[in-house]
Amino acid sequence: MTACAIEPSAADEDDSAPRAGCTITADGAYAARLARREGSWYPERWTLDGPEPYAVPLPGNQPEEAGTEVQPMGDGRVLVRRLADGRHHFALLYPTGPGTGELPLGAVECPDAGTSLRLLPPAPGGREAYALAVGPLSSTVWLVAGGTFGPEQVAVVPGRCSGGVWLDGGGRMLALDRELGGRTKAVVVDLGRGGEVSPLLQIAADSDDRLLLADPDSGLILVGSDAPSPGQERLGWGVLGSTLPVRFPESLRVAECAVTPFAIQPGLVLMPESCAVALRVDGPAGRWVGAWRPGTRGMRTLPAPEGWLAGAGTWTRDGMLRLPYATAEVPCGVVEVAVSWAETGRTGEGGGPGGAALDGTAAGAPGAPGGPAEPEPPGPAVARPVPLQQAPLGGLVTKRGRLVTK
C-alpha cells in the first residue's frame, strides 16, 4: 500500500473542460470507456488501428462504480482506477478466453481531507500511466502503471494543479495548470529530473493562463487565458519556442457556447499553421464539432455524429478527422471526416451546427455554414509567453530565458 479524492468527482471540479466520452491512446490505436449494459457499468476496450473498429467488453467479477476511471495502454490492456475504503486501487484488465484477466498494481491512499486523485491523459508510448493527486497546498504526480514496485510518487508541485498535457514524444515533459497565489499559470514538470518544476506560460502578470493542448511535432499549442478579456477566458494559439505572442482569433469564439479543443493533427514538423485542430462546441443549440487551423480563417462546423463519445477523436497524419461513436445499431463505430480547407468566404462563427450530415459510413466533406468571414484582428498587446522558460524539451534547453541548442 502506498501512502489521495475521497470523492471521485472532486477532481473533475478542478478542471473546467468537460470529460470526454472515452480515452484514446496517444497514438490513436486503442480507446477505453465505461459502457453500460442492463443497468451496470463495465470497462470496454476499442481497437481503432485495424481495418474495422471493434470493441471488447472487459467485465470483472462485479459491476464497476460510475466514478471508475479507465485508460487504454499501448499494449491493449486497460488500466482502471477504483475507489474503495478511501483508497484508489489500480489494476490492468485484459481479455482472457471468455473472461477478463486482472493484474492488481497496488493502491494510493490520500490521508489529507479534500485531496482528490484522477488519471492524467495517456502518456506517449503507452507503457506508463500517471495520476495526479491534488491537495490543499500541493499536488503530487504518481506513476501508477509501468513502474517496478506498484504506484510511485514521481513529483510534488506546490499549489493546486489541474489539466495535464504532454509536451514531448517520450512521456517526460508534463505541463500542468497550477493555481498559486490566486493566479493560474501553466508550468512544466520534468519527470526525467526528479519532478523539477519550471514556468511555461505567462501572458500577463495578472492573467490566468492554462495550456489546453499541445502537439510535440509542430509545437502548436492551444491555450485558455483571460488576458485579452479580463474575467472571461478565451482560446488562443501559439508555438512552443516562438518569440511571437499568443494570438486570440475571433474564429475561436462562438457566442454563448463553450469551445473545448480535443485533438491536433500530428506529423507536421515545424508547420504549426497547417495543423488542423478539432473542437467540441457546447451551446444552447446543442453540441457539434468544430475544425480549425491557424493558417485558415474561420472555423468549419460539423454536426456531431449520433452517439458521438463527446470530446473524443483523433486526426490522422494526412488530415482525416476520426470521431468514435456508439449507438444501439452500431455499438462501436468511427466516423471519418475529410475537412475541406478551401477558402469559401464563410465561417462557423455564426452559431450552430451545420455542414453535411455524418452517418458513420463514409468520410464526408462538410461545408462551412455561418456568417460572412471577417478579417481577424491582430492579437492583443499582451506580454508574450516564454515557452518552456528554463525547462528542457527534447534537444532544447533554456539558458537565462533563451532557448539554445545543446
Side-chain angles (χ1 to χ4, degrees):
M1 181 69 62
T2 307
C4 286
I6 303 306
E7 297 181 7
S9 62
D12 301 326
E13 296 174 359
D14 294 337
D15 293 315
S16 59
R19 294 184 65 180
C22 72
T23 303
I24 304 175
T25 54
D27 63 2
Y30 294 102
R33 68 172 186 139
L34 271 190
R36 191 174 178 87
R37 180 174 59 192
E38 298 178 355
S40 298
W41 296 98
Y42 63 91
E44 187 175 74
R45 186 201 71 195
W46 289 29
T47 299
L48 303 176
D49 61 349
E52 296 286 342
Y54 66 91
V56 176
L58 296 170
N61 297 326
Q62 61 185 29
E64 302 288 348
E65 298 292 333
T68 297
E69 282 190 289
V70 297
Q71 185 172 117
M73 303 294 292
D75 59 5
R77 293 183 293 180
V78 172
L79 174 69
V80 296
R81 178 192 66 84
R82 303 181 178 113
L83 181 64
D85 301 324
R87 300 183 179 95
H88 299 268
H89 299 263
F90 300 90
L92 289 171
L93 306 182
Y94 53 92
T96 173
T100 301
E102 181 169 329
L103 175 63
L105 299 176
V108 172
E109 183 175 3
C110 299
D112 296 331
T115 300
S116 64
L117 185 144
R118 63 174 174 86
L119 293 176
L120 286 166
R127 293 180 297 274
E128 293 89 23
Y130 296 85
L132 178 67
V134 183
L137 300 176
S138 65
S139 303
T140 304
V141 179
W142 293 86
L143 174 64
V144 296
T148 305
F149 304 108
E152 304 172 16
Q153 179 178 303
V154 294
V156 177
V157 183
R160 294 182 58 84
C161 292
S162 58
V165 176
W166 295 100
L167 298 178
D168 65 336
R172 169 179 168 177
M173 309 302 293
L174 173 66
L176 296 172
D177 302 320
R178 177 175 67 174
E179 180 187 350
L180 190 65
R183 291 294 174 190
T184 298
K185 303 290 184 183
V187 299
V188 179
V189 182
D190 187 344
L191 302 182
R193 292 190 175 184
E196 179 180 282
V197 180
S198 54
L200 171 65
L201 183 68
Q202 176 170 297
I203 298 178
D206 58 351
S207 62
D208 292 318
D209 310 313
R210 300 187 301 125
L211 182 66
L212 306 178
L213 216 56
D215 173 57
D217 293 331
S218 64
L220 177 64
I221 60 172
L222 274 294
V223 306
S225 174
D226 63 356
S229 304
Q232 179 184 6
E233 183 175 273
R234 288 186 54 181
L235 283 182
W237 70 278
V239 181
L240 289 172
S242 172
T243 59
L244 296 175
V246 169
R247 284 167 256 184
F248 296 87
E250 287 296 316
S251 55
L252 288 177
R253 302 180 75 180
V254 182
E256 299 182 356
C257 292
V259 182
T260 308
F262 63 87
I264 299 179
Q265 180 183 355
L268 300 181
V269 179
L270 302 180
M271 299 174 63
E273 293 196 0
S274 297
C275 290
V277 179
L279 309 111
R280 168 179 173 172
V281 186
D282 296 276
R287 175 185 297 142
W288 65 97
V289 181
W292 173 89
R293 65 181 183 181
T296 302
R297 296 190 183 277
M299 182 192 302
R300 281 28 177 185
T301 59
L302 319 169
E306 181 184 358
W308 178 40
L309 304 182
T314 59
W315 291 96
T316 63
R317 289 178 175 265
D318 57 0
M320 186 74 72
L321 178 59
R322 309 186 78 220
L323 302 172
Y325 71 98
T327 64
E329 295 76 21
V330 183
C332 176
V334 175
V335 170
E336 293 191 343
V337 186
V339 179
S340 173
W341 297 107
E343 293 291 350
T344 62
R346 301 180 68 82
T347 75
E349 298 172 30
L358 304 181
D359 60 7
T361 59
E374 298 179 359
E376 294 178 0
V382 295
R384 71 173 179 87
V386 183
L388 296 184
Q389 291 190 358
Q390 297 178 356
L393 174 62
L396 299 177
V397 297
T398 60
K399 186 176 182 180
R400 295 184 181 176
R402 297 182 298 109
L403 285 174
V404 299
T405 305
K406 285 183 178 179

